[in-house]
């Protein structure tokens, strides 16, 4: 369970920067300001710890959901250099030798299958709602 949670958290931090508008919205919620006009008409309300916790949980849920969605899509790992899984360091000398003798396509197929398996696993990382 722990590796899956760690994996999802890493994906969250990789995916969230592309969704900056969400963080702006969450920031406004945490500040207790519903909009510019409302802030001018009435003083901002204090935000309870319960509301902050709820906003933080919602931000995590949305971020994790988007990260898992991106990673589990076809090519989610394979086409993303930030999370693509390369061949392990110990296997690379053998992979280079295989490439030199004309078996490069098999080496690439191995790396592709590792990344496809990670895409499938990412899709299964989210519990059913």
């Amino acid at each position: 369970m722990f590796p899956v949670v760690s994996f999802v958290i890493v994906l969250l931090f990789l995916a969230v920067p592309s969704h900056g508008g969400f963080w702006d919205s969450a920031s406004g919620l945490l500040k207790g300001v519903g909009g510019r006009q409302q802030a001018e008409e009435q003083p901002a309300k204090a935000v309870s710890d319960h509301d902050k916790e709820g906003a933080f949980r919602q931000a995590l849920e949305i971020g994790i959901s988007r990260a898992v969605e991106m990673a589990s899509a076809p090519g989610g790992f394979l086409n993303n250099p930030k999370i693509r899984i390369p061949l392990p360091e110990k296997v690379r000398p053998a992979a280079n030798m295989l490439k030199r003798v004309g078996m490069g396509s098999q080496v690439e197929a191995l790396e592709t299958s590792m990344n496809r398996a990670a895409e499938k696993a990412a899709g299964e990382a989210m519990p059913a709602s």
Side-chain angles (χ1 to χ4, degrees):
M1 176 68 177
F2 181 73
V4 172
V5 172
S6 300
F7 170 74
V8 171
I9 289 172
V10 168
L11 290 177
L12 166 69
F13 286 108
L14 291 173
V16 168
S18 65
H19 303 290
F22 171 78
W23 290 111
D24 294 339
S25 299
S27 175
L29 175 65
L30 291 175
K31 290 178 184 174
V33 178
R36 188 173 283 187
Q37 184 179 13
Q38 179 184 0
E40 292 171 2
E41 293 175 4
Q42 20 180 287
K45 298 177 185 176
V47 179
S48 71
D49 286 342
H50 179 73
D51 290 342
K52 289 177 186 177
E53 181 181 325
F56 184 70
R57 285 182 185 272
Q58 183 180 12
L60 281 175
E61 288 173 6
I62 291 170
I64 289 170
S65 176
R66 288 182 180 170
V68 169
E69 185 179 309
M70 289 170 45
S72 63
F77 272 79
L78 195 60
N79 299 331
N80 186 339
K82 291 181 180 179
I83 60 173
R84 181 184 176 120
I85 301 171
L87 290 174
E89 189 69 36
K90 289 184 177 183
V91 176
R92 289 184 190 156
N96 291 334
M97 182 190 69
L98 289 170
K99 287 178 182 179
R100 284 193 299 268
V101 296
M103 297 183 71
S105 62
Q106 287 86 349
V107 172
E108 288 180 22
L110 173 62
E111 189 171 351
T112 298
S113 68
M114 290 180 356
N115 283 275
R116 296 278 184 234
E119 292 164 8
K120 183 176 179 185
E124 296 172 7
M126 290 292 291
S129 299

Coordinates of all heavy atoms in Angstrom, one line a residue, residues 20-93:
G20 N -2.4 25.5 -12.3 CA -2.3 26.6 -11.4 C -3.6 27.3 -11.0 O -3.7 27.9 -10.0
G21 N -4.5 27.4 -12.0 CA -5.8 28.0 -11.7 C -6.5 27.4 -10.5 O -7.2 28.1 -9.7
F22 N -6.4 26.1 -10.3 CA -7.0 25.5 -9.2 C -6.4 26.0 -7.9 O -7.1 26.3 -6.9 CB -6.8 23.9 -9.2 CG -7.2 23.3 -8.0 CD1 -8.5 23.1 -7.8 CD2 -6.3 22.9 -7.0 CE1 -9.0 22.5 -6.6 CE2 -6.7 22.3 -5.8 CZ -8.0 22.1 -5.6
W23 N -5.1 26.2 -7.8 CA -4.5 26.7 -6.6 C -4.9 28.1 -6.3 O -5.0 28.5 -5.1 CB -2.9 26.5 -6.7 CG -2.5 25.1 -6.6 CD1 -2.0 24.4 -7.6 CD2 -2.7 24.2 -5.6 NE1 -1.8 23.1 -7.3 CE2 -2.2 22.9 -6.0 CE3 -3.2 24.3 -4.3 CZ2 -2.2 21.8 -5.2 CZ3 -3.2 23.2 -3.5 CH2 -2.7 21.9 -3.9
D24 N -5.1 28.9 -7.3 CA -5.6 30.3 -7.1 C -7.0 30.2 -6.5 O -7.3 30.9 -5.6 CB -5.7 31.0 -8.4 CG -4.3 31.3 -9.0 OD1 -3.3 31.2 -8.3 OD2 -4.2 31.5 -10.2
S25 N -7.8 29.3 -7.0 CA -9.2 29.2 -6.4 C -9.1 28.7 -5.0 O -9.8 29.2 -4.1 CB -10.0 28.2 -7.3 OG -10.1 28.6 -8.6
A26 N -8.3 27.7 -4.7 CA -8.2 27.2 -3.4 C -7.6 28.2 -2.4 O -8.1 28.3 -1.3 CB -7.3 25.9 -3.4
S27 N -6.7 29.0 -2.9 CA -6.1 30.1 -2.1 C -7.2 31.1 -1.7 O -7.3 31.5 -0.6 CB -5.0 30.8 -2.9 OG -4.5 31.9 -2.1
G28 N -8.1 31.4 -2.7 CA -9.2 32.3 -2.4 C -10.1 31.8 -1.4 O -10.6 32.5 -0.5
L29 N -10.4 30.5 -1.5 CA -11.3 29.8 -0.5 C -10.6 29.8 0.9 O -11.3 30.2 1.9 CB -11.5 28.3 -0.9 CG -12.3 27.5 0.1 CD1 -13.7 28.0 0.2 CD2 -12.3 26.0 -0.4
L30 N -9.4 29.6 1.0 CA -8.7 29.6 2.3 C -8.6 30.9 2.9 O -8.6 31.1 4.1 CB -7.3 29.0 2.2 CG -7.2 27.5 1.8 CD1 -5.8 27.1 1.6 CD2 -7.8 26.7 3.0
K31 N -8.6 32.0 2.1 CA -8.6 33.3 2.6 C -10.0 33.8 3.0 O -10.1 34.8 3.7 CB -8.0 34.3 1.6 CG -6.5 34.1 1.3 CD -6.0 35.0 0.3 CE -4.6 34.8 0.0 NZ -4.1 35.6 -1.1
G32 N -11.0 33.0 2.6 CA -12.3 33.4 3.0 C -12.9 34.5 2.2 O -13.9 35.1 2.6
V33 N -12.4 34.7 1.0 CA -12.9 35.8 0.2 C -13.6 35.1 -1.0 O -13.0 34.4 -1.8 CB -11.8 36.7 -0.4 CG1 -12.3 37.7 -1.3 CG2 -11.0 37.3 0.8
G34 N -14.9 35.3 -1.1 CA -15.7 34.7 -2.2 C -15.6 35.5 -3.5 O -15.9 35.0 -4.6
G35 N -15.1 36.7 -3.5 CA -15.0 37.5 -4.7 C -14.6 38.9 -4.4 O -14.8 39.3 -3.2
R36 N -14.2 39.7 -5.3 CA -13.8 41.0 -5.1 C -14.9 41.9 -4.5 O -14.8 42.6 -3.6 CB -13.2 41.6 -6.4 CG -12.5 43.0 -6.2 CD -11.8 43.4 -7.4 NE -10.6 42.6 -7.5 CZ -9.7 42.9 -8.4 NH1 -9.8 43.8 -9.3 NH2 -8.6 42.1 -8.4
Q37 N -16.1 41.8 -5.2 CA -17.2 42.6 -4.7 C -17.6 42.2 -3.3 O -17.9 43.1 -2.5 CB -18.4 42.4 -5.7 CG -19.6 43.3 -5.4 CD -20.7 43.1 -6.4 OE1 -20.7 42.1 -7.1 NE2 -21.7 44.0 -6.3
Q38 N -17.7 41.0 -3.0 CA -18.1 40.5 -1.7 C -17.1 41.1 -0.6 O -17.4 41.5 0.4 CB -18.1 39.0 -1.6 CG -18.5 38.5 -0.2 CD -18.5 37.0 -0.1 OE1 -18.2 36.3 -1.1 NE2 -18.8 36.5 1.0
A39 N -15.8 41.0 -1.0 CA -14.7 41.5 0.0 C -14.9 43.0 0.2 O -14.6 43.4 1.3 CB -13.4 41.2 -0.6
E40 N -15.3 43.7 -0.7 CA -15.5 45.2 -0.5 C -16.7 45.5 0.3 O -16.7 46.4 1.1 CB -15.6 45.9 -1.9 CG -14.3 45.8 -2.7 CD -14.4 46.3 -4.1 OE1 -15.5 46.8 -4.5 OE2 -13.4 46.3 -4.8
E41 N -17.8 44.7 0.2 CA -19.0 45.0 0.8 C -19.0 44.5 2.3 O -19.6 45.1 3.1 CB -20.2 44.3 0.1 CG -20.4 44.9 -1.2 CD -21.5 44.1 -2.0 OE1 -22.1 43.2 -1.5 OE2 -21.7 44.5 -3.2
Q42 N -18.3 43.4 2.6 CA -18.3 42.9 3.9 C -16.9 42.4 4.3 O -16.1 42.0 3.4 CB -19.3 41.7 4.2 CG -19.8 41.0 2.9 CD -20.7 39.9 3.3 OE1 -20.3 38.9 3.8 NE2 -22.0 40.1 3.0
P43 N -16.5 42.5 5.5 CA -15.2 42.0 5.9 C -15.1 40.5 5.7 O -16.0 39.8 5.8 CB -15.1 42.4 7.4 CG -16.5 42.6 7.9 CD -17.3 43.0 6.7
A44 N -13.8 40.1 5.4 CA -13.6 38.7 5.2 C -13.8 37.9 6.5 O -13.5 38.4 7.6 CB -12.1 38.5 4.8
K45 N -14.4 36.7 6.3 CA -14.7 35.9 7.5 C -13.5 35.0 7.8 O -12.8 34.7 6.9 CB -15.9 35.0 7.2 CG -17.2 35.7 6.9 CD -18.3 34.8 6.6 CE -19.6 35.5 6.2 NZ -20.6 34.6 5.7
A46 N -13.3 34.8 9.1 CA -12.3 33.9 9.5 C -12.6 32.4 9.0 O -13.8 32.0 9.0 CB -12.1 33.9 11.0
V47 N -11.6 31.7 8.5 CA -11.8 30.4 8.0 C -11.5 29.4 9.1 O -10.4 29.5 9.7 CB -11.0 30.1 6.7 CG1 -11.2 28.7 6.2 CG2 -11.3 31.2 5.7
S48 N -12.4 28.5 9.4 CA -12.2 27.6 10.5 C -11.1 26.5 10.0 O -10.9 26.3 8.8 CB -13.5 26.9 10.9 OG -13.9 26.0 9.8
D49 N -10.6 25.9 11.0 CA -9.6 24.8 10.7 C -10.3 23.7 10.0 O -9.7 23.1 9.1 CB -9.0 24.2 12.0 CG -8.0 25.2 12.7 OD1 -7.5 26.1 11.9 OD2 -7.7 25.0 13.9
H50 N -11.6 23.5 10.3 CA -12.4 22.4 9.6 C -12.5 22.8 8.1 O -12.3 21.9 7.2 CB -13.7 22.3 10.2 CG -14.6 21.3 9.5 ND1 -14.4 19.9 9.6 CD2 -15.7 21.4 8.7 CE1 -15.3 19.3 8.9 NE2 -16.1 20.2 8.3
D51 N -12.7 24.0 7.8 CA -12.8 24.5 6.4 C -11.5 24.4 5.7 O -11.4 24.0 4.5 CB -13.4 25.9 6.3 CG -14.8 26.1 6.7 OD1 -15.5 25.0 6.7 OD2 -15.3 27.2 7.0
K52 N -10.4 24.7 6.4 CA -9.1 24.6 5.8 C -8.8 23.2 5.5 O -8.2 22.9 4.4 CB -8.0 25.2 6.7 CG -8.1 26.7 6.8 CD -7.1 27.2 7.8 CE -7.2 28.7 8.1 NZ -6.2 29.1 9.1
E53 N -9.1 22.3 6.4 CA -8.8 20.9 6.2 C -9.6 20.4 5.0 O -9.1 19.6 4.2 CB -9.2 20.1 7.5 CG -8.9 18.6 7.3 CD -9.3 17.9 8.6 OE1 -9.1 18.4 9.7 OE2 -9.7 16.7 8.5
G54 N -10.9 20.8 4.9 CA -11.7 20.3 3.8 C -11.2 20.8 2.5 O -11.2 20.1 1.5
A55 N -10.7 22.1 2.4 CA -10.2 22.6 1.2 C -8.9 21.9 0.8 O -8.7 21.6 -0.4 CB -9.9 24.1 1.3
F56 N -8.1 21.6 1.8 CA -6.8 20.9 1.5 C -7.1 19.5 1.0 O -6.5 19.0 0.1 CB -5.9 20.9 2.8 CG -4.6 20.2 2.6 CD1 -3.6 20.9 1.8 CD2 -4.3 19.0 3.1 CE1 -2.4 20.3 1.6 CE2 -3.1 18.4 2.9 CZ -2.1 19.1 2.1
R57 N -8.0 18.8 1.7 CA -8.4 17.4 1.2 C -8.9 17.5 -0.2 O -8.6 16.6 -1.0 CB -9.5 16.8 2.1 CG -8.9 16.4 3.5 CD -10.0 15.7 4.3 NE -9.6 15.4 5.6 CZ -9.0 14.2 5.9 NH1 -8.8 13.3 5.0 NH2 -8.6 14.0 7.1
Q58 N -9.8 18.5 -0.5 CA -10.3 18.6 -1.8 C -9.2 18.8 -2.9 O -9.2 18.2 -3.9 CB -11.4 19.7 -1.9 CG -12.0 19.8 -3.3 CD -13.1 20.9 -3.3 OE1 -13.2 21.7 -2.4 NE2 -13.9 20.9 -4.4
A59 N -8.3 19.7 -2.5 CA -7.1 20.0 -3.4 C -6.3 18.7 -3.7 O -6.0 18.4 -4.8 CB -6.2 21.1 -2.8
L60 N -6.1 17.9 -2.6 CA -5.4 16.7 -2.8 C -6.1 15.7 -3.6 O -5.5 15.1 -4.5 CB -5.1 16.0 -1.4 CG -3.9 16.6 -0.6 CD1 -3.8 16.0 0.7 CD2 -2.6 16.4 -1.4
E61 N -7.4 15.6 -3.4 CA -8.2 14.6 -4.2 C -8.2 15.0 -5.7 O -8.1 14.2 -6.5 CB -9.7 14.6 -3.7 CG -9.8 13.9 -2.3 CD -11.2 14.0 -1.7 OE1 -12.1 14.5 -2.4 OE2 -11.4 13.6 -0.6
I62 N -8.4 16.3 -6.0 CA -8.4 16.7 -7.3 C -7.0 16.5 -8.0 O -6.9 16.0 -9.1 CB -8.8 18.2 -7.5 CG1 -10.3 18.3 -7.1 CG2 -8.6 18.8 -8.9 CD1 -10.8 19.7 -6.9
G63 N -6.0 16.9 -7.3 CA -4.6 16.8 -7.8 C -4.3 15.3 -8.0 O -3.7 15.0 -9.1
I64 N -4.6 14.5 -7.1 CA -4.3 13.0 -7.2 C -5.1 12.5 -8.4 O -4.6 11.7 -9.2 CB -4.6 12.3 -5.9 CG1 -3.5 12.6 -4.9 CG2 -4.6 10.8 -6.2 CD1 -3.8 12.1 -3.5
S65 N -6.4 12.8 -8.5 CA -7.2 12.3 -9.6 C -6.6 12.7 -10.9 O -6.6 11.9 -11.8 CB -8.6 12.8 -9.4 OG -9.4 12.4 -10.5
R66 N -6.2 14.0 -11.1 CA -5.7 14.4 -12.3 C -4.4 13.8 -12.6 O -4.1 13.4 -13.8 CB -5.5 15.9 -12.3 CG -6.9 16.7 -12.4 CD -6.7 18.1 -12.5 NE -8.0 18.8 -12.5 CZ -8.1 20.1 -12.4 NH1 -7.1 20.9 -12.2 NH2 -9.3 20.6 -12.5
A67 N -3.5 13.6 -11.6 CA -2.2 12.9 -11.8 C -2.4 11.5 -12.3 O -1.7 11.0 -13.2 CB -1.4 13.0 -10.6
V68 N -3.3 10.8 -11.6 CA -3.6 9.4 -12.0 C -4.2 9.3 -13.4 O -3.8 8.5 -14.2 CB -4.5 8.7 -10.9 CG1 -5.0 7.4 -11.4 CG2 -3.7 8.6 -9.6
E69 N -5.1 10.2 -13.7 CA -5.7 10.3 -15.0 C -4.6 10.5 -16.1 O -4.6 9.8 -17.1 CB -6.7 11.4 -15.1 CG -7.5 11.4 -16.4 CD -8.5 12.6 -16.4 OE1 -9.3 12.7 -15.4 OE2 -8.5 13.4 -17.3
M70 N -3.7 11.4 -15.9 CA -2.6 11.7 -16.8 C -1.7 10.5 -17.0 O -1.3 10.1 -18.1 CB -1.8 12.9 -16.4 CG -2.6 14.2 -16.6 SD -1.8 15.7 -15.9 CE -0.1 15.5 -16.4
A71 N -1.3 9.9 -15.8 CA -0.3 8.8 -15.9 C -0.9 7.5 -16.4 O -0.2 6.7 -17.1 CB 0.3 8.6 -14.5
S72 N -2.2 7.3 -16.2 CA -2.8 6.0 -16.7 C -3.3 6.1 -18.1 O -3.6 5.1 -18.7 CB -3.9 5.7 -15.7 OG -5.0 6.6 -15.8
A73 N -3.2 7.3 -18.7 CA -3.6 7.4 -20.1 C -2.5 6.7 -21.0 O -1.4 6.6 -20.6 CB -3.7 8.8 -20.5
P74 N -2.9 6.2 -22.2 CA -1.9 5.6 -23.1 C -0.7 6.6 -23.3 O -1.0 7.7 -23.7 CB -2.7 5.3 -24.4 CG -4.1 5.2 -23.9 CD -4.2 6.1 -22.8
G75 N 0.5 6.1 -23.0 CA 1.6 7.0 -23.2 C 1.9 7.9 -22.0 O 2.8 8.7 -22.0
G76 N 1.1 7.7 -20.9 CA 1.2 8.6 -19.7 C 2.6 8.5 -19.1 O 3.2 9.5 -18.7
F77 N 3.2 7.3 -19.1 CA 4.6 7.2 -18.6 C 5.6 7.3 -19.8 O 6.5 8.0 -19.7 CB 4.8 5.8 -17.9 CG 4.4 5.9 -16.4 CD1 3.1 5.8 -16.0 CD2 5.4 5.9 -15.5 CE1 2.8 5.9 -14.7 CE2 5.1 6.0 -14.2 CZ 3.8 5.9 -13.7
L78 N 5.3 6.5 -20.8 CA 6.2 6.4 -21.9 C 6.5 7.7 -22.6 O 7.7 7.9 -23.0 CB 5.6 5.4 -22.9 CG 6.5 4.8 -24.0 CD1 7.7 4.1 -23.3 CD2 5.8 3.9 -24.9
N79 N 5.5 8.6 -22.7 CA 5.8 9.8 -23.4 C 6.1 11.0 -22.5 O 6.2 12.1 -23.0 CB 4.5 10.2 -24.3 CG 4.3 9.1 -25.3 OD1 5.2 8.4 -25.8 ND2 3.0 8.9 -25.7
N80 N 6.2 10.8 -21.2 CA 6.5 11.9 -20.3 C 7.9 11.7 -19.7 O 8.1 10.8 -18.9 CB 5.4 11.9 -19.2 CG 5.6 13.0 -18.2 OD1 6.6 13.6 -18.1 ND2 4.5 13.4 -17.5
P81 N 8.8 12.5 -20.1 CA 10.2 12.2 -19.6 C 10.3 12.4 -18.1 O 11.3 11.9 -17.5 CB 11.0 13.3 -20.4 CG 10.0 14.2 -21.0 CD 8.7 13.6 -21.1
K82 N 9.4 13.1 -17.5 CA 9.5 13.3 -16.0 C 9.2 12.0 -15.3 O 9.7 11.9 -14.2 CB 8.5 14.4 -15.6 CG 8.9 15.8 -16.1 CD 8.0 16.8 -15.6 CE 8.4 18.2 -16.0 NZ 7.4 19.2 -15.6
I83 N 8.4 11.2 -15.8 CA 8.0 9.9 -15.1 C 8.3 8.7 -15.8 O 8.1 7.6 -15.3 CB 6.5 10.0 -14.6 CG1 5.6 10.1 -15.8 CG2 6.3 11.1 -13.6 CD1 4.1 9.9 -15.4
R84 N 8.9 8.8 -17.0 CA 9.2 7.6 -17.8 C 10.2 6.7 -17.1 O 11.1 7.2 -16.4 CB 9.8 8.0 -19.2 CG 10.2 6.8 -20.0 CD 10.9 7.3 -21.3 NE 11.3 6.2 -22.1 CZ 10.9 6.0 -23.3 NH1 10.1 6.8 -23.9 NH2 11.3 4.9 -24.0
I85 N 9.9 5.4 -17.1 CA 10.8 4.5 -16.4 C 11.8 3.9 -17.4 O 11.5 3.2 -18.3 CB 9.9 3.3 -15.8 CG1 8.8 3.9 -14.9 CG2 10.8 2.3 -15.1 CD1 7.8 2.9 -14.4
P86 N 13.1 4.3 -17.1 CA 14.2 3.7 -18.0 C 14.5 2.3 -17.5 O 14.1 1.9 -16.5 CB 15.3 4.7 -17.7 CG 15.1 5.1 -16.3 CD 13.6 5.2 -16.1
L87 N 15.3 1.7 -18.3 CA 15.9 0.4 -17.9 C 16.7 0.6 -16.7 O 17.4 1.6 -16.6 CB 16.7 -0.2 -19.0 CG 16.0 -0.7 -20.3 CD1 16.9 -1.2 -21.4 CD2 15.0 -1.8 -19.9
P88 N 16.7 -0.4 -15.8 CA 17.5 -0.3 -14.6 C 19.0 -0.1 -15.0 O 19.5 -0.7 -16.0 CB 17.3 -1.6 -13.8 CG 16.0 -2.1 -14.3 CD 15.9 -1.6 -15.8
E89 N 19.8 0.6 -14.2 CA 21.2 0.8 -14.4 C 22.0 -0.5 -14.6 O 22.8 -0.5 -15.5 CB 21.8 1.6 -13.2 CG 23.2 2.1 -13.5 CD 23.2 3.3 -14.5 OE1 22.3 4.1 -14.6 OE2 24.2 3.3 -15.3
K90 N 21.7 -1.5 -13.8 CA 22.4 -2.8 -13.9 C 22.2 -3.5 -15.2 O 22.9 -4.3 -15.7 CB 22.1 -3.7 -12.8 CG 22.6 -3.2 -11.4 CD 22.4 -4.1 -10.3 CE 23.0 -3.6 -9.0 NZ 22.8 -4.6 -7.9
V91 N 21.0 -3.2 -15.9 CA 20.7 -3.9 -17.1 C 21.2 -3.2 -18.4 O 21.3 -3.8 -19.4 CB 19.1 -4.0 -17.2 CG1 18.7 -4.6 -18.5 CG2 18.6 -4.8 -16.0
R92 N 21.6 -1.9 -18.2 CA 22.0 -1.1 -19.4 C 23.2 -1.7 -20.2 O 23.2 -1.6 -21.4 CB 22.2 0.3 -19.0 CG 20.9 1.0 -18.7 CD 21.1 2.5 -18.3 NE 19.8 3.0 -17.8 CZ 19.7 4.0 -17.0 NH1 20.8 4.7 -16.7 NH2 18.5 4.4 -16.6
P93 N 24.2 -2.2 -19.5 CA 25.3 -2.8 -20.3 C 24.9 -3.9 -21.2 O 25.2 -4.0 -22.3 CB 26.3 -3.2 -19.2 CG 26.0 -2.4 -18.0 CD 24.6 -2.1 -18.1

